Structures are given as structure tokens and as C-alpha cells.
Amino acid sequence: MSKKDFESLLSQHETLEKEESINWEQRKQEWLGFINKFYSCLENWFKAYKKSEKLSYEYDHVFN
């Protein structure tokens, strides 16, 4: 493998790494959105039980 070929290989690898980088903050926000939607569904399902005082629940913040 020539020096030029090796440099080309390194350049391709660098480009792939940049393209494959993961935006962890975006992923976190997406998952938090999914969790909030899930809790909204639960609250909707439990609404009648909570209103009739057959069920109670509360939330505790764990993550910021």
C-alpha cells in the first residue's frame, strides 16, 4: 500500500466517523418525549379511577 493509498484510507475513515457521530442530547430528548407520551396515556387510562379515588399516584423527578 502506498503512502497515498494509506492517506486516502485514513481520510475515508475520518469521514465515516464524522457521519456516524451520535447526537446524544438529541437522543435523550427523543426518549424523554416518548416517556412523556407514555405517561400521558397512563394518566388518560387512569383518569376515571383517580377521579373516583380508587387510584392515586404522584411523580418524583429523577432526571433533569
Side-chain angles (χ1 to χ4, degrees):
M1 174 180 282
S2 71
K3 183 177 178 180
K4 187 175 180 178
D5 291 336
F6 184 65
E7 288 175 359
S8 175
L9 178 67
L10 290 176
S11 177
Q12 289 173 352
H13 182 69
E14 184 178 309
T15 302
L16 288 174
E17 282 183 351
K18 288 179 184 176
E19 290 174 0
E20 294 175 1
S21 67
I22 297 170
N23 184 337
W24 290 111
E25 184 60 30
Q26 180 183 2
R27 281 240 177 132
K28 175 184 167 185
Q29 294 306 317
E30 287 174 357
W31 276 102
L32 290 174
F34 294 142
I35 291 168
N36 285 331
K37 286 180 185 179
F38 176 68
Y39 279 124
S40 293
C41 288
L42 291 178
E43 289 172 348
N44 192 35
W45 293 334
F46 294 152
K47 192 182 298 184
Y49 299 107
K50 188 172 183 178
K51 187 175 182 178
S52 66
E53 297 181 354
K54 294 181 180 180
L55 175 72
S56 67
Y57 56 87
E58 61 184 55
Y59 294 103
D60 189 17
H61 289 293
V62 179
F63 301 102
N64 290 330

Coordinates of all heavy atoms in Angstrom, one line a residue:
M1 N 0.9 -1.2 0.0 CA 0.0 0.0 0.0 C 0.9 1.2 0.0 O 1.8 1.4 0.8 CB -0.9 0.0 1.2 CG -1.7 1.2 1.4 SD -2.8 1.2 2.9 CE -4.1 0.2 2.3
S2 N 0.6 2.1 -0.9 CA 1.4 3.3 -1.0 C 1.0 4.3 0.1 O -0.1 4.2 0.7 CB 1.3 3.9 -2.4 OG 0.0 4.5 -2.5
K3 N 1.8 5.3 0.3 CA 1.5 6.4 1.2 C 0.2 7.1 0.8 O -0.6 7.4 1.7 CB 2.7 7.4 1.3 CG 2.5 8.5 2.3 CD 3.8 9.3 2.3 CE 3.6 10.5 3.3 NZ 4.7 11.3 3.4
K4 N 0.1 7.3 -0.5 CA -1.1 8.0 -1.0 C -2.4 7.1 -0.7 O -3.4 7.7 -0.3 CB -1.0 8.2 -2.5 CG -2.1 9.1 -3.1 CD -1.8 9.4 -4.5 CE -2.9 10.2 -5.1 NZ -2.7 10.6 -6.5
D5 N -2.3 5.8 -0.9 CA -3.4 4.9 -0.6 C -3.8 4.9 0.9 O -4.9 5.0 1.2 CB -3.1 3.5 -1.1 CG -3.0 3.4 -2.6 OD1 -3.6 4.2 -3.3 OD2 -2.4 2.4 -3.1
F6 N -2.7 4.9 1.7 CA -2.9 4.9 3.1 C -3.6 6.2 3.6 O -4.5 6.2 4.4 CB -1.6 4.7 3.8 CG -1.8 4.6 5.3 CD1 -2.4 3.5 5.9 CD2 -1.2 5.5 6.2 CE1 -2.6 3.4 7.3 CE2 -1.4 5.4 7.6 CZ -2.1 4.4 8.1
E7 N -3.1 7.3 3.0 CA -3.8 8.6 3.4 C -5.2 8.7 2.9 O -6.1 9.2 3.6 CB -2.9 9.8 2.8 CG -1.6 10.0 3.5 CD -0.8 11.1 2.8 OE1 -1.2 11.6 1.8 OE2 0.3 11.3 3.4
S8 N -5.5 8.1 1.8 CA -6.9 8.0 1.3 C -7.7 7.2 2.2 O -8.9 7.6 2.5 CB -6.9 7.5 -0.1 OG -8.2 7.3 -0.6
L9 N -7.2 6.1 2.7 CA -7.9 5.2 3.6 C -8.2 6.0 4.9 O -9.3 5.9 5.4 CB -7.1 3.9 3.9 CG -7.7 3.0 4.9 CD1 -9.0 2.3 4.3 CD2 -6.7 1.9 5.2
L10 N -7.2 6.7 5.4 CA -7.4 7.4 6.7 C -8.5 8.5 6.5 O -9.3 8.8 7.3 CB -6.1 8.0 7.1 CG -5.0 7.1 7.6 CD1 -3.8 7.8 8.0 CD2 -5.5 6.3 8.9
S11 N -8.5 9.2 5.3 CA -9.4 10.2 5.0 C -10.8 9.7 5.0 O -11.8 10.3 5.5 CB -9.0 10.9 3.7 OG -10.0 11.9 3.4
Q12 N -11.0 8.5 4.3 CA -12.3 7.9 4.3 C -12.8 7.5 5.7 O -14.0 7.7 6.0 CB -12.3 6.6 3.4 CG -12.1 6.9 1.9 CD -11.9 5.7 1.1 OE1 -11.7 4.6 1.6 NE2 -11.9 5.8 -0.2
H13 N -11.9 7.0 6.5 CA -12.3 6.6 7.8 C -12.7 7.8 8.6 O -13.7 7.7 9.4 CB -11.1 5.8 8.5 CG -11.4 5.4 9.9 ND1 -12.3 4.3 10.1 CD2 -11.0 5.8 11.1 CE1 -12.4 4.1 11.4 NE2 -11.6 5.0 12.0
E14 N -12.0 8.9 8.5 CA -12.3 10.1 9.2 C -13.7 10.6 8.8 O -14.5 11.0 9.7 CB -11.3 11.2 8.9 CG -11.4 12.4 9.7 CD -10.3 13.4 9.4 OE1 -9.2 13.1 9.5 OE2 -10.7 14.6 9.1
T15 N -14.0 10.5 7.5 CA -15.3 11.0 7.0 C -16.4 10.1 7.6 O -17.4 10.6 8.0 CB -15.3 10.9 5.5 OG1 -14.3 11.8 5.0 CG2 -16.7 11.4 5.0
L16 N -16.2 8.8 7.7 CA -17.2 7.9 8.2 C -17.4 8.2 9.7 O -18.6 8.2 10.1 CB -16.8 6.4 8.0 CG -16.9 5.9 6.6 CD1 -16.3 4.5 6.5 CD2 -18.3 5.9 6.1
E17 N -16.4 8.4 10.4 CA -16.5 8.7 11.9 C -17.4 10.0 12.1 O -18.2 10.0 12.9 CB -15.2 8.9 12.5 CG -14.5 7.6 12.8 CD -13.2 7.8 13.6 OE1 -12.7 9.0 13.7 OE2 -12.6 6.8 14.0
K18 N -17.2 11.0 11.3 CA -17.9 12.2 11.4 C -19.4 12.0 11.1 O -20.3 12.5 11.7 CB -17.3 13.3 10.5 CG -16.0 13.9 11.0 CD -15.5 14.9 10.0 CE -14.1 15.4 10.5 NZ -13.5 16.4 9.5
E19 N -19.7 11.2 10.0 CA -21.0 10.9 9.6 C -21.8 10.1 10.7 O -23.0 10.2 10.8 CB -21.1 10.2 8.3 CG -20.6 11.1 7.1 CD -20.5 10.3 5.8 OE1 -20.8 9.1 5.8 OE2 -20.2 11.0 4.8
E20 N -21.0 9.2 11.4 CA -21.7 8.3 12.3 C -21.7 8.8 13.7 O -22.2 8.1 14.6 CB -20.9 7.0 12.3 CG -21.0 6.2 11.0 CD -20.2 5.0 10.9 OE1 -19.5 4.7 11.9 OE2 -20.2 4.3 9.9
S21 N -21.3 10.0 14.0 CA -21.3 10.6 15.3 C -22.7 10.7 15.8 O -23.6 11.0 15.0 CB -20.6 11.9 15.4 OG -21.3 12.9 14.7
I22 N -23.0 10.4 17.0 CA -24.3 10.3 17.6 C -24.5 11.6 18.4 O -23.7 11.9 19.3 CB -24.5 9.1 18.5 CG1 -24.3 7.8 17.6 CG2 -25.8 9.1 19.2 CD1 -24.2 6.5 18.4
N23 N -25.6 12.2 18.2 CA -26.0 13.4 19.0 C -26.8 12.8 20.2 O -28.0 12.6 20.2 CB -26.9 14.3 18.2 CG -27.3 15.6 18.9 OD1 -27.2 15.6 20.1 ND2 -27.6 16.6 18.1
W24 N -26.1 12.6 21.3 CA -26.7 12.0 22.5 C -27.7 12.9 23.1 O -28.7 12.4 23.6 CB -25.6 11.7 23.5 CG -24.7 10.6 23.0 CD1 -23.4 10.6 22.6 CD2 -25.1 9.2 22.8 NE1 -23.0 9.4 22.2 CE2 -24.0 8.5 22.3 CE3 -26.3 8.5 23.0 CZ2 -24.0 7.1 22.1 CZ3 -26.3 7.1 22.8 CH2 -25.2 6.5 22.3
E25 N -27.6 14.2 23.1 CA -28.6 15.1 23.6 C -29.9 15.0 22.9 O -31.0 15.0 23.5 CB -28.1 16.6 23.6 CG -29.0 17.5 24.3 CD -29.3 17.2 25.7 OE1 -28.4 16.7 26.5 OE2 -30.4 17.6 26.2
Q26 N -29.8 14.9 21.5 CA -31.0 14.7 20.7 C -31.7 13.4 21.0 O -32.9 13.3 21.2 CB -30.6 14.8 19.2 CG -31.8 14.6 18.3 CD -31.4 14.6 16.9 OE1 -30.3 14.7 16.5 NE2 -32.4 14.5 16.0
R27 N -30.9 12.3 21.2 CA -31.4 11.0 21.5 C -32.1 11.1 22.9 O -33.2 10.5 23.1 CB -30.3 10.0 21.6 CG -29.9 9.5 20.3 CD -30.2 8.0 20.2 NE -29.8 7.5 18.9 CZ -29.1 6.5 18.7 NH1 -28.6 5.7 19.6 NH2 -28.9 6.1 17.4
K28 N -31.5 11.7 23.8 CA -32.1 11.9 25.2 C -33.4 12.6 25.1 O -34.4 12.1 25.7 CB -31.1 12.6 26.1 CG -31.6 12.9 27.5 CD -30.6 13.8 28.2 CE -31.2 14.3 29.5 NZ -30.3 15.3 30.2
Q29 N -33.5 13.7 24.4 CA -34.7 14.4 24.3 C -35.8 13.6 23.6 O -37.0 13.7 24.0 CB -34.4 15.8 23.5 CG -33.6 16.7 24.3 CD -34.1 17.0 25.7 OE1 -35.2 17.2 26.0 NE2 -33.1 17.0 26.7
E30 N -35.4 12.8 22.6 CA -36.4 12.0 21.9 C -37.0 11.0 22.9 O -38.2 10.8 23.0 CB -35.8 11.3 20.7 CG -35.5 12.2 19.6 CD -34.7 11.4 18.4 OE1 -34.3 10.3 18.6 OE2 -34.5 12.1 17.4
W31 N -36.1 10.3 23.7 CA -36.6 9.3 24.6 C -37.4 10.0 25.7 O -38.4 9.4 26.1 CB -35.4 8.5 25.2 CG -35.0 7.4 24.3 CD1 -34.0 7.4 23.5 CD2 -35.7 6.2 24.1 NE1 -34.0 6.2 22.8 CE2 -35.0 5.4 23.2 CE3 -36.8 5.6 24.7 CZ2 -35.4 4.2 22.8 CZ3 -37.2 4.4 24.3 CH2 -36.5 3.7 23.3
L32 N -37.0 11.1 26.2 CA -37.8 11.8 27.2 C -39.2 12.2 26.6 O -40.2 12.1 27.3 CB -37.1 13.1 27.7 CG -35.9 12.8 28.6 CD1 -35.2 14.1 28.9 CD2 -36.2 12.1 29.8
G33 N -39.3 12.5 25.4 CA -40.6 12.8 24.7 C -41.4 11.5 24.7 O -42.6 11.6 24.9
F34 N -40.8 10.4 24.3 CA -41.6 9.1 24.3 C -42.1 8.8 25.7 O -43.2 8.3 25.9 CB -40.7 7.9 23.8 CG -40.2 8.0 22.4 CD1 -39.0 7.7 22.0 CD2 -41.1 8.5 21.4 CE1 -38.6 7.7 20.7 CE2 -40.7 8.6 20.1 CZ -39.4 8.2 19.8
I35 N -41.3 9.0 26.7 CA -41.7 8.7 28.1 C -42.8 9.6 28.5 O -43.8 9.1 29.1 CB -40.5 8.8 29.1 CG1 -39.5 7.7 28.8 CG2 -40.9 8.8 30.5 CD1 -38.1 7.9 29.5
N36 N -42.7 10.9 28.2 CA -43.8 11.8 28.5 C -45.1 11.4 27.8 O -46.2 11.5 28.4 CB -43.5 13.2 28.1 CG -42.5 13.8 29.1 OD1 -42.4 13.5 30.3 ND2 -41.7 14.8 28.6
K37 N -45.1 11.0 26.6 CA -46.3 10.5 25.9 C -46.8 9.2 26.5 O -48.1 9.1 26.7 CB -46.0 10.2 24.4 CG -45.8 11.4 23.5 CD -45.4 11.0 22.1 CE -45.1 12.3 21.3 NZ -44.8 11.9 19.9
F38 N -46.0 8.3 27.0 CA -46.4 7.1 27.7 C -47.1 7.5 29.0 O -48.2 7.0 29.3 CB -45.2 6.2 28.0 CG -45.5 5.0 28.8 CD1 -46.3 4.0 28.2 CD2 -45.1 4.9 30.1 CE1 -46.6 2.9 29.0 CE2 -45.4 3.8 30.8 CZ -46.1 2.8 30.3
Y39 N -46.6 8.4 29.7 CA -47.2 8.9 31.0 C -48.5 9.5 30.7 O -49.5 9.4 31.5 CB -46.3 9.8 31.8 CG -45.3 9.1 32.6 CD1 -43.9 9.3 32.5 CD2 -45.6 8.1 33.5 CE1 -43.0 8.7 33.2 CE2 -44.7 7.4 34.3 CZ -43.3 7.7 34.1 OH -42.4 7.0 34.8
S40 N -48.6 10.3 29.6 CA -49.9 10.9 29.3 C -51.0 9.9 29.0 O -52.1 10.0 29.4 CB -49.7 11.8 28.0 OG -48.9 12.9 28.4
C41 N -50.6 8.8 28.3 CA -51.5 7.7 28.0 C -52.0 7.0 29.3 O -53.2 6.8 29.5 CB -50.9 6.6 27.1 SG -50.6 7.1 25.4
L42 N -51.0 6.8 30.2 CA -51.4 6.2 31.5 C -52.3 7.1 32.3 O -53.3 6.6 32.8 CB -50.1 5.9 32.3 CG -49.2 4.8 31.9 CD1 -48.0 4.8 32.8 CD2 -49.9 3.5 31.8
E43 N -52.0 8.4 32.3 CA -52.9 9.3 33.0 C -54.3 9.3 32.4 O -55.3 9.4 33.2 CB -52.3 10.7 33.0 CG -51.1 10.9 33.8 CD -50.4 12.2 33.6 OE1 -50.8 13.0 32.6 OE2 -49.5 12.6 34.4
N44 N -54.4 9.2 31.1 CA -55.7 9.2 30.5 C -56.5 7.9 30.8 O -57.7 7.9 31.1 CB -55.5 9.3 29.0 CG -56.8 9.5 28.2 OD1 -57.7 10.2 28.8 ND2 -57.0 9.0 27.1
W45 N -55.8 6.8 30.8 CA -56.4 5.5 31.2 C -56.9 5.5 32.7 O -57.9 4.9 33.0 CB -55.4 4.3 31.0 CG -55.1 4.1 29.6 CD1 -55.8 4.3 28.5 CD2 -53.9 3.5 29.1 NE1 -55.2 4.0 27.3 CE2 -54.0 3.4 27.7 CE3 -52.8 3.0 29.7 CZ2 -53.0 2.9 26.9 CZ3 -51.8 2.4 28.9 CH2 -51.9 2.4 27.5
F46 N -56.1 6.1 33.5 CA -56.3 6.1 35.0 C -57.3 7.2 35.4 O -57.6 7.3 36.6 CB -55.0 6.2 35.8 CG -54.1 5.0 35.6 CD1 -52.7 5.2 35.8 CD2 -54.6 3.7 35.3 CE1 -51.9 4.1 35.6 CE2 -53.8 2.6 35.2 CZ -52.4 2.8 35.3
K47 N -57.6 8.1 34.5 CA -58.4 9.3 34.9 C -59.7 9.0 35.7 O -59.9 9.6 36.8 CB -58.8 10.1 33.7 CG -59.3 11.5 33.9 CD -59.7 12.2 32.7 CE -58.5 12.4 31.8 NZ -58.8 13.1 30.6
A48 N -60.4 8.0 35.3 CA -61.7 7.7 35.9 C -61.4 7.1 37.3 O -62.1 7.4 38.3 CB -62.5 6.7 35.1
Y49 N -60.4 6.3 37.4 CA -60.0 5.7 38.7 C -59.5 6.7 39.7 O -59.8 6.6 40.9 CB -59.0 4.6 38.5 CG -59.5 3.4 37.7 CD1 -59.0 3.3 36.4 CD2 -60.4 2.5 38.1 CE1 -59.4 2.3 35.5 CE2 -60.9 1.5 37.3 CZ -60.4 1.4 36.0 OH -60.8 0.4 35.2
K50 N -58.8 7.6 39.2 CA -58.3 8.7 40.1 C -59.4 9.6 40.5 O -59.5 10.0 41.7 CB -57.2 9.5 39.4 CG -56.5 10.5 40.3 CD -55.3 11.1 39.6 CE -54.6 12.1 40.6 NZ -53.4 12.7 40.0
K51 N -60.3 9.9 39.6 CA -61.5 10.7 40.0 C -62.3 10.1 41.0 O -62.8 10.8 41.9 CB -62.3 11.0 38.7 CG -63.4 12.0 38.9 CD -64.1 12.4 37.6 CE -65.1 13.4 37.8 NZ -65.8 13.8 36.6
S52 N -62.5 8.8 40.9 CA -63.3 8.1 41.9 C -62.5 7.7 43.2 O -63.0 7.0 44.0 CB -64.0 6.8 41.3 OG -62.9 5.9 40.9
E53 N -61.3 8.1 43.2 CA -60.4 7.9 44.4 C -60.1 6.4 44.6 O -59.8 6.0 45.7 CB -60.9 8.6 45.6 CG -61.0 10.1 45.5 CD -61.5 10.8 46.7 OE1 -61.9 10.1 47.7 OE2 -61.5 12.0 46.7
K54 N -60.2 5.6 43.5 CA -59.8 4.2 43.6 C -58.3 4.0 43.4 O -57.7 3.0 43.6 CB -60.6 3.4 42.6 CG -62.0 3.3 43.0 CD -62.8 2.4 42.0 CE -64.2 2.4 42.3 NZ -65.0 1.6 41.4
L55 N -57.7 5.1 42.8 CA -56.3 5.0 42.5 C -55.6 6.4 42.7 O -56.3 7.4 42.5 CB -56.1 4.7 41.0 CG -54.7 4.7 40.4 CD1 -53.9 3.6 40.9 CD2 -54.8 4.7 38.9
S56 N -54.4 6.4 43.2 CA -53.7 7.7 43.4 C -52.3 7.4 43.0 O -51.7 6.3 43.1 CB -53.8 8.2 44.8 OG -53.1 7.4 45.7
Y57 N -51.6 8.5 42.5 CA -50.2 8.4 42.1 C -49.6 9.8 42.2 O -50.3 10.8 42.2 CB -50.0 7.8 40.7 CG -50.8 8.5 39.6 CD1 -50.2 9.6 39.0 CD2 -52.1 8.1 39.2 CE1 -50.9 10.2 38.0 CE2 -52.7 8.7 38.2 CZ -52.2 9.8 37.6 OH -52.8 10.4 36.6
E58 N -48.3 9.8 42.2 CA -47.6 11.0 42.2 C -46.3 10.8 41.5 O -45.8 9.7 41.3 CB -47.3 11.6 43.6 CG -46.5 10.7 44.5 CD -46.4 11.3 45.9 OE1 -47.4 11.5 46.5 OE2 -45.2 11.4 46.3
Y59 N -45.7 11.9 41.0 CA -44.4 11.8 40.3 C -43.3 12.3 41.1 O -43.5 13.3 41.9 CB -44.5 12.7 39.0 CG -45.5 12.1 38.0 CD1 -46.7 12.7 37.8 CD2 -45.2 11.0 37.2 CE1 -47.7 12.2 36.9 CE2 -46.1 10.5 36.3 CZ -47.3 11.1 36.2 OH -48.2 10.6 35.3
D60 N -42.1 11.8 40.9 CA -40.9 12.2 41.5 C -39.9 12.5 40.4 O -39.6 11.6 39.6 CB -40.4 11.2 42.5 CG -39.3 11.7 43.4 OD1 -39.1 12.9 43.5 OD2 -38.6 10.8 44.0
H61 N -39.3 13.7 40.4 CA -38.3 14.0 39.3 C -37.0 13.3 39.7 O -36.4 13.5 40.7 CB -38.1 15.5 39.2 CG -39.3 16.2 38.6 ND1 -39.6 16.0 37.3 CD2 -40.1 17.0 39.1 CE1 -40.7 16.7 37.0 NE2 -41.0 17.4 38.1
V62 N -36.5 12.5 38.8 CA -35.3 11.8 39.0 C -34.2 12.4 38.1 O -33.0 12.5 38.5 CB -35.4 10.3 38.6 CG1 -34.1 9.5 38.8 CG2 -36.5 9.6 39.5
F63 N -34.5 12.8 36.9 CA -33.6 13.3 35.9 C -33.9 14.8 35.7 O -35.0 15.2 35.8 CB -33.6 12.6 34.6 CG -33.3 11.2 34.7 CD1 -34.3 10.2 34.7 CD2 -32.0 10.7 34.9 CE1 -34.0 8.9 34.8 CE2 -31.7 9.4 35.0 CZ -32.7 8.5 34.9
N64 N -32.9 15.5 35.3 CA -33.1 17.0 34.9 C -33.4 17.1 33.5 O -33.0 16.4 32.6 CB -31.9 17.8 35.3 CG -31.8 17.9 36.8 OD1 -32.8 17.9 37.5 ND2 -30.6 18.1 37.2

